[in-house]
Amino acid sequence: MTGQVRTVDGRVAGRRGQATRQKLLDCLGEMLSTSPYRDVKVIDVARKAGTSPATFYQYFPDVEGAVLEIAEDMAKEGAALTGLVAGRSWVGKAAWQTAEELVDGFLDFWRRNDAILRVVDLGAAEGDKRFYKIRMKILNSVTNSLTDAVKELQAKGRVDKDINPAAVSGSLVAMLAAVASHQKGFTTWGVKQAELRPNLALLVHLGITGKKPPK
């Protein structure tokens, strides 16, 4: 843990306090994976962490405040998704590899952070600007890089100039997010995970390059 960690009243937490704070966040994260967000109470988080509600309130104003802390940390991890696209080639066989790795990274990120992402989506859908900004921070990290990729292909004459790079990229990322959040649901349609990834990569490749991947 880097930087100073402060309590709600502004005091700098010592090493032990930081450890307690992190344990509370870890326990809350575990609870979000098994319980509806609205059902999680401070007393339950504190009990799971082996401490008291009073200690919880030393570090967080309420459960929502703690959830936002987890979401912010998750968003920082999500920002790294841009590395799956930025500077990568979208020409020839390399383009197919880029598409596959983007899909793999996106689905894996969503699966690892499924619980907190569900809360973020709920908050954003309800109009909470804090959750909306976190969601957009994650999606923009990929959208902006894909937009740049399309513009570069247009400059080289490989993609029609009438294509709107931001519209295409934003649509693809929205699709990735929707599919990633519904991964378990695909099994009810008889779609296996191993089948989902290459088909999703195909759509991404077609969307960015306008062409089928080379055989």
Side-chain angles (χ1 to χ4, degrees), residues 13-15 31 42 90 95 107 114 139 161-162 181 186 210:
R15 182 175 298 179
M31 294 178 71
V42 169
W90 285 97
L107 295 183
D114 176 66
L139 299 185
K161 290 187 179 297
D162 292 333
S181 65
F186 277 88

Side-chain angles (χ1 to χ4, degrees), residues 50-63:
T51 187
S52 66
T55 298
F56 180 97
Y57 286 119
Q58 285 183 21
Y59 302 102
F60 311 105
D62 47 34
V63 170

Side-chain angles (χ1 to χ4, degrees), residues 61-123:
D62 47 34
V63 170
E64 187 175 74
V67 168
L68 282 167
E69 289 280 348
I70 297 174
E72 286 286 2
D73 287 341
M74 181 265 301
K76 293 176 183 176
E77 179 189 347
L81 290 172
T82 187
L84 298 172
V85 182
R88 301 293 298 277
S89 174
W90 285 97
V91 178
K93 292 183 178 180
W96 176 242
Q97 182 178 349
T98 300
E100 284 187 309
E101 291 182 3
L102 172 59
V103 168
D104 285 343
F106 214 92
L107 295 183
D108 289 343
F109 172 78
W110 235 260
R111 188 169 56 252
R112 290 196 310 273
N113 298 284
D114 176 66
I116 189 63
L117 281 164
R118 281 190 281 107
V119 177
V120 169
D121 285 347
L122 174 63

